[in-house]
Amino acid sequence: MPKFPSLDWFQAISQKANKDKERFKLLGYVDANVGIKIRGNGAGSKGYLLQFADYGVTDVKEVDDPAPVSDFVIEGSLDAWSEMIENIQRNGEPDLEHTLNRLTMAGVPLKLIAGDQMQEDLFYRFNQSFQAFFNEAASVPTEFVAS
Amino acid sequence: MTQASPAAGTTNGTGTVFTPDQLQYVDELKKGRFDLQWLKDPKPNWGIRAQMRNPNRGLTLQDINNAYAGEPEDAPKDRTMAPRGSVYDEDVPDMGYQYNQKYQVWADNVVALYEEACARQWSATRDIPWDELKPLPDELERAQCQIATLLTEVEMIASDFPAKWLWQMNQHFHEVKMFLCTQAMDEARHLEVFRKRALANGGGLMRCLAGTEVFLRTILHAPTYIQGSFLMHVLGEGLVLDIFRGGEFLAKNKTEKEIYRLCMQDEARHVSYGTMHLKYFLEHHPERDKALAEMHMLAEAAELGIPGFLTNPYIIEPLAVLMGNGVKGMDKGMEAIRLVWVRMREEYLNRCALAGFDRRSVTKVPEQAPF
């Protein structure tokens, strides 16, 4: 059972998404490098780069700082990320309070950080695909690292 | 001339609908002689085999543009519908296009945006979970219907506006026209989905305001494409994008959530084109300083209208009711409106800056909501 957060966990989600290709095709292709930053509640932070291309994620990397290699970064505390994943797993998809869009809307508990507005707008343009990616967590048994 | 075709009528005063040239050709055909000139024409583009850069995606516009005639000229000399890179008669008629310079219509992301738009189409009938709609308390249903009425009203401007200018754009820039066709379809769907929402859950269409109509009229009757594009793509759709983005505050069920999310994706493409078109326009305008000054004058006047939109009780109060989950929660809802105000202003200024159109120090949009 992969731990969240870890490279293994993001790879497991990516594999799920890649098997679900028909669903992602219906949503449309995606061209975006998405950074994920998870602050460890005082225990340092973890960074990941998700390379979205076509109808899934072609590569996942663990990186110290995702900002320089991403179109945008979604940043938040481990608690916030874990709550989102747990919510998806509990409901099969996020409830109205736990979608990526909802959680980033006010800059808390998740924050969207981009180099410029066009890069930030990619989050809006491909939003359904990013959400569908994280929704794959519903069927990936996960061990949550204590915060 | 010999025999007239059996199908010939009597409309041109010569006993036949065919011209002398046509009759001569028909005569040759009857003798089994074909023209075959089209087989002897020059073939400047013969042997082209556009390659799919990515078979997963299919053969894209970028792929065929990489193969042949993919780069539009800055100022094509002809005014024809003949495809860019084709061979055509010297006496093709002038189509009367008014926009014959690339900088007047182009954006460097428009080819990719067209493909993206085609890949991300959806159906307001099929893809919205209408069966998830549940009866709402009266004040929430009224609020949702008031916003749905507003969006039904305003979204179609982004179909009417490109339709007005499409035929005036030189077909040499076909990618722009194709993208604007996707935008017109997107906005038709937005009208459809919000009208359906207003009429699907026990409520109905509500009030439309003169002030909103005045702004729509300004866009529709803008004297030039760039002026209308700035008003609509950058300012108007940028504002609506933030309303869509806030849709998960507004949504009371999966149906509405899905509506706002899908509309958000569409709207973001339109804003993206408008921003990059403004950038291209300003970077390539032959009189850049003059163009910049004119755009600042336009922006200043348009920005003065934004506070009116966002202090209108028929707009912000239903938004606040939805965001606060009822009239009792309107204070909380107004907090969310203040957040949307700041975000809308910031994103608008960021997009202008990205286009090389710095409005930050001169903008008329107040930094904070005045309430």
Side-chain angles (χ1 to χ4, degrees):
Chain A
M1 184 185 304
K3 288 181 182 173
F4 180 83
S6 69
L7 185 60
D8 284 349
W9 189 86
F10 280 105
Q11 284 174 334
I13 298 290
S14 299
Q15 284 163 12
K16 278 280 194 189
N18 288 335
K19 282 182 187 164
D20 211 358
K21 195 143 277 182
E22 288 310 309
R23 173 171 156 68
F24 282 82
K25 268 190 175 177
L26 282 175
L27 294 172
Y29 64 78
V30 184
D31 284 319
N33 289 337
V34 179
I36 304 293
K37 194 166 181 181
I38 302 167
R39 293 192 310 272
N41 300 351
S45 64
K46 288 204 160 204
Y48 301 92
L49 172 65
L50 311 176
Q51 292 182 309
F52 282 84
D54 300 333
Y55 307 105
V57 170
T58 54
D59 198 14
V60 183
K61 291 189 179 95
E62 189 162 355
V63 292
D64 289 336
D65 180 8
V69 288
S70 305
D71 289 303
F72 59 83
V73 176
I74 308 172
E75 180 182 338
S77 69
L78 176 58
D79 286 347
W81 281 105
S82 298
E83 184 180 324
M84 183 189 86
I85 305 296
E86 285 173 324
N87 185 272
I88 290 170
Q89 294 188 327
R90 196 161 46 246
N91 303 310
E93 60 181 9
D95 64 22
L96 293 178
E97 296 297 316
H98 289 88
T99 63
L100 283 174
N101 184 45
R102 175 68 179 84
L103 294 171
T104 56
M105 181 70 193
V108 286
L110 300 184
K111 187 172 186 180
L112 193 60
I113 303 162
D116 65 40
Q117 193 59 48
M118 289 295 285
Q119 289 176 307
E120 182 170 331
D121 285 350
L122 292 175
F123 176 75
Y124 311 145
R125 278 160 55 188
F126 301 127
N127 184 269
Q128 292 284 70
S129 300
F130 301 138
Q131 188 63 60
F133 174 81
F134 278 98
N135 289 359
E136 296 289 349
S139 56
V140 174
T142 300
E143 180 184 343
F144 289 93
V145 174
S147 60
Chain B
M1 295 302 107
T2 53
Q3 304 159 311
S5 161
T10 56
T11 56
N12 66 356
T14 62
T16 174
V17 296
F18 297 103
T19 65
D21 284 351
Q22 289 164 347
L23 286 170
Q24 186 175 0
Y25 177 58
V26 168
D27 203 32
E28 293 295 314
L29 282 180
K30 285 178 175 172
K31 293 173 185 165
R33 291 200 287 264
F34 298 99
D35 178 71
L36 297 181
Q37 180 56 39
W38 60 276
L39 276 175
K40 300 166 200 158
D41 271 350
K43 299 180 292 185
N45 56 350
W46 202 245
I48 304 299
R49 284 193 176 79
Q51 300 292 311
M52 285 185 285
R53 187 182 64 84
N54 183 345
N56 287 330
R57 199 169 290 188
L59 187 68
T60 65
L61 272 187
Q62 294 98 314
D63 292 333
I64 62 166
N65 279 357
N66 284 338
Y68 181 70
E71 188 60 42
E73 295 171 29
D74 289 336
K77 64 179 173 58
D78 292 321
R79 313 283 183 258
T80 172
M81 295 188 90
R84 191 170 72 222
S86 67
V87 178
Y88 52 89
D89 291 347
E90 287 180 3
D91 58 349
V92 290
D94 186 321
M95 292 293 169
Y97 298 133
Q98 302 298 310
Y99 287 90
N100 297 296
Q101 312 261 342
K102 188 177 177 185
Y103 78 89
Q104 294 172 317
V105 297
W106 194 254
D108 279 337
N109 58 353
V110 72
V111 181
L113 284 174
Y114 171 76
E115 288 285 351
E116 186 180 314
C118 291
R120 301 188 89 81
Q121 291 295 298
W122 50 279
S123 160
T125 301
R126 183 195 60 212
D127 297 328
I128 301 297
W130 293 107
D131 55 349
E132 300 271 353
L133 266 182
K134 300 282 188 299
L136 291 173
D138 187 61
E139 62 196 30
L140 289 179
E141 183 62 26
R142 277 175 175 251
Q144 202 69 264
C145 286
Q146 180 59 48
I147 297 305
T149 303
L150 169 73
L151 292 169
T152 303
E153 178 187 18
V154 303
E155 286 297 277
M156 199 65 180
I157 188 69
S159 292
D160 281 350
F161 173 80
K164 172 187 168 181
W165 294 102
L166 265 175
W167 76 268
Q168 300 188 51
M169 294 179 182
N170 194 311
Q171 186 122 322
H172 189 79
F173 311 116
H174 59 259
E175 293 95 336
V176 175
K177 302 175 80 159
M178 292 160 73
F179 172 73
L180 292 175
C181 288
T182 69
Q183 176 176 336
M185 185 60 220
D186 291 344
E187 302 295 357
R189 190 170 52 241
H190 295 183
L191 179 154
E192 175 193 358
V193 81
F194 287 110
R195 188 174 176 88
K196 283 180 173 174
R197 171 58 192 88
L199 298 174
N201 201 34
L205 290 164
M206 295 185 68
R207 183 181 290 261
C208 294
L209 305 167
T212 308
E213 294 281 318
V214 168
F215 183 60
L216 297 177
R217 191 179 191 286
T218 306
I219 293 173
L220 194 56
H221 293 277
T224 63
Y225 178 69
I226 184 62
Q227 290 183 21
S229 171
F230 173 78
L231 292 172
M232 188 187 70
H233 289 121
V234 181
L235 194 59
E237 293 199 279
L239 195 157
V240 172
L241 174 59
D242 274 310
I243 294 178
F244 288 158
R245 219 204 139 193
E248 278 160 347
F249 287 101
L250 307 176
K252 299 300 153 205
N253 46 59
K254 281 180 71 174
T255 312
E256 291 155 5
K257 182 178 75 170
E258 201 69 7
I259 290 172
Y260 285 115
R261 271 196 197 162
L262 287 166
C263 288
M264 174 177 75
Q265 294 190 144
D266 296 343
E267 209 78 354
R269 283 193 302 274
H270 311 161
V271 175
S272 185
Y273 163 73
T275 305
M276 294 304 278
H277 171 48
L278 178 62
K279 183 174 193 288
Y280 197 92
F281 177 85
L282 291 173
E283 285 178 352
H284 295 83
H285 197 288
E287 297 178 86
R288 185 176 188 279
D289 290 346
K290 186 176 168 220
L292 205 50
E294 286 173 359
M295 291 307 295
H296 276 298
M297 278 177 60
L298 174 73
E300 184 170 321
E303 287 169 4
L304 289 169
I306 293 297
F309 186 77
L310 288 174
T311 53
N312 191 310
Y314 280 85
I315 296 171
I316 61 166
E317 290 186 7
L319 288 174
V321 165
L322 291 170
M323 289 174 171
N325 214 25
V327 172
K328 284 184 180 168
M330 277 182 80
D331 286 345
K332 186 182 165 203
M334 290 305 282
E335 275 179 40
I337 302 258
R338 288 191 277 275
L339 174 74
V340 169
W341 181 298
V342 172
R343 178 182 290 280
M344 181 277 297
R345 179 184 183 275
E346 193 61 22
E347 292 188 351
Y348 162 68
L349 294 175
N350 285 344
R351 290 189 186 103
C352 287
L354 198 139
F357 183 51
D358 184 10
R359 293 290 304 160
R360 191 166 289 278
S361 60
V362 294
T363 185
K364 300 295 178 191
V365 183
E367 194 167 349
Q368 302 285 338
F371 39 78

